[in-house]
Amino acid sequence: MTGAARRIVVVGDTLLDVDVSGTSERLSPDAPVPVVDVRTDDRRAGGAGLVATMLAKDGHDVTLVTVLSDDGRGEEVRALLPGVRVVAGPSGAPTPVKTRVRVVDHALVRIDEGCATPPVPDVTAEMTAALAGADAIVVADYGRGVAAAPALRAALSAVAAHTPVVWDPHPKGAEPVPGTTIATPNTAEARASSGLGGDGVPFATDAAAALRERWGTHAVAVTMGDRGALVASSSGSRFVPAPSATVGDPCGAGDRLAAGVAVALADGADVADAVAAGVADASAYIAAGGVAALFADHGAEPVAVPGVDRDAMRLVHRVRAEGGTVVATGGCFDLLHAGHARTLSAARALGDCLVVCLNSDDSVRALKGPERPIMTQDDRVELLLALDCVDAVVVFDEHTPDEALRRFRPDVWAKGGDYDAADLPEAATLAEWGGRVVTVPFHPGRSTTRLAAALAHVG
């Protein structure tokens, strides 16, 4: 989590999610269906409960306003929400359970129990009072009536006048209350709610504008999976691309996005920047393994260390936990050129992730003089991360990246072939933990210094 811990209130329908995973090597003798040998049976709070869990894991002060059944599964849901203050009224219906059965990485079937639409529940005074004092509110509507309750809607309308409200809608749910800061329907939800046809950015642009007018919200962001989101606000339309196209289990990605938007709004971001933060959070969530990784026990959380970005440490930790190879390379990368791109691509091919150790602005000035760098380290980080072959960037202030390398200990250190691997100063550092130094093809004629000189001559 970045920034200060915030008080976030999550409002909505809570479910019990069950993930059953196993292997299948034979068909049943009773019917031509696979027999699943169950290896794991993972349970968690779903729906609004998942949003609350995500925010609590990020270190925020989270209150969940919901309804729960008094059956055994309702008690199980409460037990699955450690670190979350639960303010729950009576649901008047059995606890809904959604069970996903997977064989290795493939979904086989989903089984729903108690998921018929219940009557709109009663709302207690404690539920409406819990909205007071929040830094931001997320409404996670799963179509089971909490967001449709008149008393709660009236309270949300009042709070929206001075508190950011993010509304994640559902096709069977209630419309956002007027004055909502932003609604975040996905493409299918936007199509169902707007009645418009089409696809891609043109559809999202029209649907976001139409829904903003219809719902009376300040903004609408139509999310488009790994393409990003289209935001309609009083400032017009803005496309927010995803940081990278990520393939993985999308379960919970919309929840992750809404949570990220809410935190960014609580931190003072404008709507477009908040959506960009939410899109980045959702992309990182899928890349890290989605909901399975969120609840997986891979041992201790990677420790945040000076000089190494926490996201980079999470990446290294995850790749190692999966038995993968961590590759690192380094340099100033001031004015990216084709030689850089080819070298980085070759380095990435050596393993399962590539971490770039980047000289900070102070480090570049010490090495190359007061006129460098040409681009700031923030711009250089952004450009490197825009390359599909780069998974993370670590900025260091010293002349060499040795201290940064000691912190995350890559398996391979890759440099361009204009160096001799044995002569690289990092070779001794990598040897401390048994890492290897590898050279990758060098492409002569590409030089940042030469490119900078040519640009200066043109100017």
Side-chain angles (χ1 to χ4, degrees), residues 141 168-171 184-194 211 215 223:
D141 188 358
D168 191 8
H170 189 277
T184 59
N186 62 30
T187 300
E189 292 161 349
R191 185 173 288 112
S193 297
S194 69
L211 291 174
W215 290 338
T223 61

Side-chain angles (χ1 to χ4, degrees), residues 100 102 105 226 245-253 282-283 285-291:
R100 297 195 308 168
R102 301 176 67 86
D105 292 329
D226 61 8
T246 303
V247 178
D249 182 2
C251 177
S283 296
Y285 165 83
I286 294 175
V291 72

Side-chain angles (χ1 to χ4, degrees), residues 285-314:
Y285 165 83
I286 294 175
V291 72
L294 182 68
F295 291 91
D297 181 8
H298 293 313
E301 175 75 6
V303 177
V305 293
V308 179
D309 181 81
R310 190 173 180 85
D311 288 340
M313 288 302 296
R314 283 195 179 117

Side-chain angles (χ1 to χ4, degrees), residues 66-70 88-93 121-124 127:
T66 188
V67 295
L68 290 174
S69 171
D70 58 2
S91 72
D122 293 330
V123 171
T124 66
M127 291 169 67

Side-chain angles (χ1 to χ4, degrees), residues 161-444:
H162 52 76
T163 302
V165 175
V166 179
W167 197 293
D168 191 8
H170 189 277
K172 296 182 179 179
E175 292 187 352
V177 298
T180 292
T181 309
I182 185 167
T184 59
N186 62 30
T187 300
E189 292 161 349
R191 185 173 288 112
S193 297
S194 69
L196 299 175
D199 206 352
V201 171
F203 161 76
T205 303
D206 293 342
L211 291 174
R212 176 174 175 262
E213 181 176 355
R214 172 178 167 179
W215 290 338
T217 58
H218 293 292
V220 170
V222 176
T223 61
M224 298 179 286
D226 61 8
R227 296 189 64 182
L230 193 289
V231 185
S233 67
S234 59
S235 302
S237 297
R238 175 174 164 182
F239 176 61
V240 178
S244 61
T246 303
V247 178
D249 182 2
C251 177
D255 298 317
R256 179 74 267 182
L257 184 143
V261 172
V263 171
L265 290 173
D267 286 340
D270 64 24
V271 165
D273 287 343
V275 172
V279 168
D281 283 352
S283 296
Y285 165 83
I286 294 175
V291 72
L294 182 68
F295 291 91
D297 181 8
H298 293 313
E301 175 75 6
V303 177
V305 293
V308 179
D309 181 81
R310 190 173 180 85
D311 288 340
M313 288 302 296
R314 283 195 179 117
L315 169 73
V316 169
H317 186 71
R318 176 174 63 82
V319 169
R320 286 237 168 81
E322 295 172 353
T325 297
V326 177
V327 182
T329 190
C332 298
F333 298 99
D334 194 13
L335 292 183
L336 278 173
H337 53 68
H340 289 142
R342 292 174 182 175
T343 298
L344 291 167
S345 181
R348 178 62 175 80
L350 296 171
D352 299 288
C353 73
L354 175 64
V355 179
V356 175
C357 296
L358 181 71
N359 294 77
S360 70
D361 290 347
D362 288 341
S363 177
V364 175
R365 277 189 286 270
L367 290 169
K368 298 181 180 292
E371 300 303 317
R372 301 284 292 274
I374 297 166
M375 296 193 302
T376 66
Q377 67 189 44
D378 288 345
D379 286 344
R380 290 182 285 133
V381 168
E382 186 172 347
L383 284 169
L384 284 165
L385 290 174
L387 300 175
D388 288 342
C389 56
V390 176
D391 298 288
V393 177
V394 169
V395 179
F396 65 94
D397 287 316
E398 300 80 17
H399 288 319
T400 67
D402 295 279
E403 289 308 309
L405 291 173
R406 288 188 176 98
R407 292 179 180 116
F408 68 93
R409 299 192 168 200
D411 303 297
V412 177
W413 173 253
K415 288 293 283 185
D418 50 335
Y419 297 92
D420 188 319
D423 295 335
L424 283 169
E426 296 84 6
T429 304
L430 268 289
E432 293 173 11
W433 55 86
R436 294 168 293 157
V437 175
V438 177
T439 58
V440 295
F442 170 64
H443 303 280

